[in-house]
Amino acid sequence: MRNDYKRILLKLSGESLMGDQEFGIDAKILKSFAEDVAEVYHSGLQIGIVLGGGNIFRGSQATEQGIEKVSGDYMGMLATVINSIAFQNALEGYGIPTRLQTAIHMQQIAEPFIRRRAIRHLEKNRVVIFGAGTGNPYFTTDTAAALRAIEIEADVIIKGTRVDGVYDSDPEKNPNAKRFDNITYQEVLTRELKVMDGTAITLCQDNKLPILVFNMNEKGNLLRLMQGQPIATIVS
């Protein structure tokens, strides 16, 4: 296990939970991801998790559907909470202690996000899932992941995607796309690469927080990555 990482923040998109479905949560994918997190948890790492909500509702869909932007963004935040509850339940099915903290108060199902409490949970070896984004409209869950990672003093953000790193164009559409082993924050911004949104990248750059981009859909990849295998692009 890499000894330079003691605390990580794992960011997963909501779409990654859909599997081959067009909407919602694929139970097999949820179980597979939970198994992968469980493997890493038992290696001794402290883990925070941020999930997107795009499998249920995307704030960007709001204007297309005649919903006002701010209302749409709040709907998207609530979608992330649904995914977070599902992931919490899946992890606890493997006997892993968890806490769900949300940026919007909903005391019947989650704790409010309190930085010191989150860090204490991590120190007590509980997986902490952060729901509802930043709690503010106009900010993505990528930005929420960067913000929470900085707040809990994570060593790295682990961004799980469908491809094995960062490319100069979409490898699913362009078979000649070039993969980067390492790339700087500034190159990501200048090239407008779809790693994370610009606000998230800038937050990571300002706080010298590295990002590892890897294929989460490959079973066991999260553990391989944490063992130091070169299966990710490093953004630093």
Side-chain angles (χ1 to χ4, degrees):
M1 192 59 55
R2 296 183 61 144
N3 57 16
D4 49 343
Y5 299 149
K6 293 183 174 60
R7 182 178 297 164
I8 66 170
L9 190 292
L10 176 64
K11 169 61 168 68
L12 298 173
S13 69
E15 288 91 338
S16 67
L17 297 176
M18 289 193 301
D20 295 326
Q21 301 176 172
E22 294 183 1
F23 176 85
I25 300 169
D26 184 318
K28 291 179 183 176
I29 295 291
L30 186 68
K31 182 174 183 286
S32 175
F33 285 0
E35 284 177 349
D36 282 355
V37 171
E39 281 186 330
V40 171
Y41 171 83
H42 290 303
S43 72
L45 276 174
Q46 296 177 7
I47 306 168
I49 301 174
V50 170
L51 295 147
N55 57 319
I56 297 169
F57 187 85
R58 296 183 67 87
S60 59
Q61 296 170 340
T63 50
E64 299 171 15
Q65 299 175 3
I67 298 170
E68 190 261 336
K69 167 67 175 168
V70 172
S71 296
D73 282 358
Y74 280 118
M75 291 169 70
M77 290 179 221
L78 296 179
T80 73
V81 176
I82 293 173
N83 286 338
S84 297
I85 294 170
F87 209 86
Q88 180 183 37
N89 189 261
L91 286 174
E92 289 180 344
Y94 288 99
I96 295 174
T98 69
R99 291 293 186 275
L100 171 57
Q101 294 195 343
T102 57
I104 297 171
H105 285 217
M106 40 188 78
Q107 61 192 23
Q108 285 86 349
I109 57 175
E111 298 178 359
F113 171 70
I114 299 172
R115 174 181 173 271
R116 288 178 179 269
R117 183 178 288 178
I119 291 173
R120 187 64 179 142
H121 287 322
L122 292 165
E123 290 171 345
K124 290 191 170 190
N125 296 315
R126 297 166 183 148
V127 172
V128 183
I129 303 170
F130 302 104
T134 66
N136 300 289
Y138 299 102
F139 291 95
T140 68
T141 51
D142 279 346
T143 298
L147 180 62
R148 295 293 179 250
I150 293 161
E151 288 176 308
I152 66 171
E153 300 174 5
D155 300 305
V156 65
I157 290 181
I158 310 294
K159 175 76 184 282
T161 68
R162 295 184 300 185
V163 294
D164 62 342
V166 179
Y167 288 77
D168 62 356
S169 60
D170 188 345
E172 295 181 333
K173 297 177 181 177
N174 177 15
N176 297 314
K178 176 192 171 188
R179 181 183 180 277
F180 300 99
D181 291 328
N182 296 274
I183 191 168
T184 66
Y185 306 109
Q186 198 57 50
E187 282 181 285
V188 170
L189 293 170
T190 301
R191 290 171 175 260
E192 297 183 351
L193 301 176
K194 306 300 182 185
V195 179
M196 301 174 88
D197 69 80
T199 305
I201 295 294
T202 301
L203 265 175
C204 292
Q205 181 178 29
D206 290 347
N207 292 275
K208 297 181 173 58
L209 180 67
I211 307 163
L212 300 184
V213 183
F214 81 114
N215 184 354
M216 184 71 182
N217 290 349
E218 188 74 31
K219 189 70 183 151
N221 257 3
L222 183 59
L223 182 62
R224 295 185 196 101
L225 181 62
M226 293 297 94
Q227 288 172 336
Q229 295 188 32
I231 57 171
T233 295
I234 302 170
V235 183
S236 60

